[in-house]
């Protein structure tokens, strides 16, 4: 065999192996644990389950069962930072997955994929900057049905809304925005100092755009939760995320970091677009955040 032919065959074999691995990794659901010191002195820990970017479609029973099994962690509070679904028939599957968690205090915001059905996009476009939505070319998803069902189950819709929650006897001042990635955020409608007497001040957004993080941090959020980035989804080992699909820097594409005086946690999420069911060096995740004094 000529040397050039062998090189081409070797490259194709390596590509096929990498693709097979990335498809496997996309279903290798992982629980990540992290600790954030954001509670007042003297308080007992609070366990916050952060879910994001599930992108559920019919037929993902393994993912649904894994999400439901997180109830065994006995969290005190569940926050979902959007992109619940990626299919017009996904709502019942989302509700089945989350049903074991509905007896817990919970709150959520929506992401762009809860509003619009996914489309095949050339992955190289993400290297040029945040993706642009073209609503005229997209099918609307039944996001109103999803919101109705989640709120009927007792969870709070934080899309451009704020509220006070009682969690394990503690007062949580929480606010959120609708998805900044598609310009639905209206932070001015929830802006203003967080409640100084609250035990925890929480900001929630799907996409961690800097304008939203700035507003929440300047108003005194102890902790801001976000998703959307998929942690980069395809990462280089030792380098990390190549893109964030928004204006946050790549070093904060997933995990705990900070923004000004606030702690920031960005979830790498549990799913993918159905048109790109691959993840590399960035397993799908849920996070159990232990909040400590
Ligand atoms: Fe997503």
């Amino acid at each position: 065999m000529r040397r050039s032919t062998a090189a081409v065959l070797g490259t194709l074999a390596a590509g096929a192996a990498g693709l097979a691995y990335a498809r496997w990794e996309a279903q290798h659901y992982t629980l990540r644990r992290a600790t954030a010191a954001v509670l007042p002195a003297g308080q007992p820990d609070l366990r916050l389950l952060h879910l994001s970017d599930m992108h559920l479609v019919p037929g993902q029973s393994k993912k649904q069962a894994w999400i439901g099994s997180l109830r065994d962690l006995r969290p005190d509070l569940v926050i979902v930072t959007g992109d619940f679904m990626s299919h017009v028939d996904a709502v019942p599957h989302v509700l089945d997955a989350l049903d074991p968690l509905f007896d817990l205090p919970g709150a959520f915001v929506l992401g762009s994929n809860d509003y619009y059905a996914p489309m095949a996009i050339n992955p190289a476009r993400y290297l040029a900057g945040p993706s642009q939505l073209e609503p005229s070319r997209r099918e609307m998803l039944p996001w109103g049905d999803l919101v109705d069902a989640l709120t009927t189950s007792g969870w709070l819709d934080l899309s451009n809304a704020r509220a006070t929650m009682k969690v394990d006897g503690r007062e949580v001042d929480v606010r959120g925005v609708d998805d900044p990635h598609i310009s639905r955020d209206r932070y001015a409608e929830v802006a203003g100092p967080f409640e100084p007497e609250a035990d925890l001040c929480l900001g929630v957004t799907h996409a961690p755009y800097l304008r939203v993080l700035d507003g929440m941090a300047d108003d005194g959020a102890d902790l801001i939760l976000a998703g959307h980035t998929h942690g980069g989804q395809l990462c280089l080992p030792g380098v990390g995320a190549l893109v964030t699909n928004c204006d946050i820097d790549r070093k904060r594409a997933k995990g705990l970091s900070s923004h000004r005086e606030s702690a920031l946690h960005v979830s790498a999420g549990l799913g993918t677009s159905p048109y790109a069911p691959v993840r590399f060096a960035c397993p799908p995740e849920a996070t159990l955040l232990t909040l400590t004094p």
Side-chain angles (χ1 to χ4, degrees), residues 53 55 83 113 206 228 230:
D53 297 84
H55 289 272
D83 278 8
N113 285 278
H206 174 62
H228 173 72
H230 294 196

Side-chain angles (χ1 to χ4, degrees), residues 7-8 43 48 56 58 72 79 89 94 103 149 227-228 245 251 256 283:
V8 168
Q43 290 225 355
L48 189 160
L56 273 165
D72 296 342
I79 301 289
D89 296 325
V94 172
D103 65 323
H228 173 72
N245 199 23
K251 283 198 172 115
L256 263 179

Side-chain angles (χ1 to χ4, degrees), residues 52-53 83 206-208 226-235 241 243-246 248-249 252-255 266-269 279 282:
S52 198
D53 297 84
D83 278 8
H206 174 62
H228 173 72
T229 64
H230 294 196
Q233 190 162 326
L234 301 174
C235 296
V243 297
T244 66
N245 199 23
C246 62
I248 198 171
D249 50 284
R252 296 189 290 171
K254 74 169 176 179
V266 179
S267 171
R279 296 180 73 118
C282 185

Side-chain angles (χ1 to χ4, degrees), residues 18 23 165 174 211 233 251 256:
R23 290 184 77 98
M165 302 174 75
V174 61
R211 64 180 183 272
Q233 190 162 326
K251 283 198 172 115
L256 263 179

Side-chain angles (χ1 to χ4, degrees), residues 104-120:
L104 300 167
F108 65 92
V109 291
L110 298 183
S112 59
N113 285 278
D114 298 311
Y115 292 104
Y116 300 104
M119 288 179 65

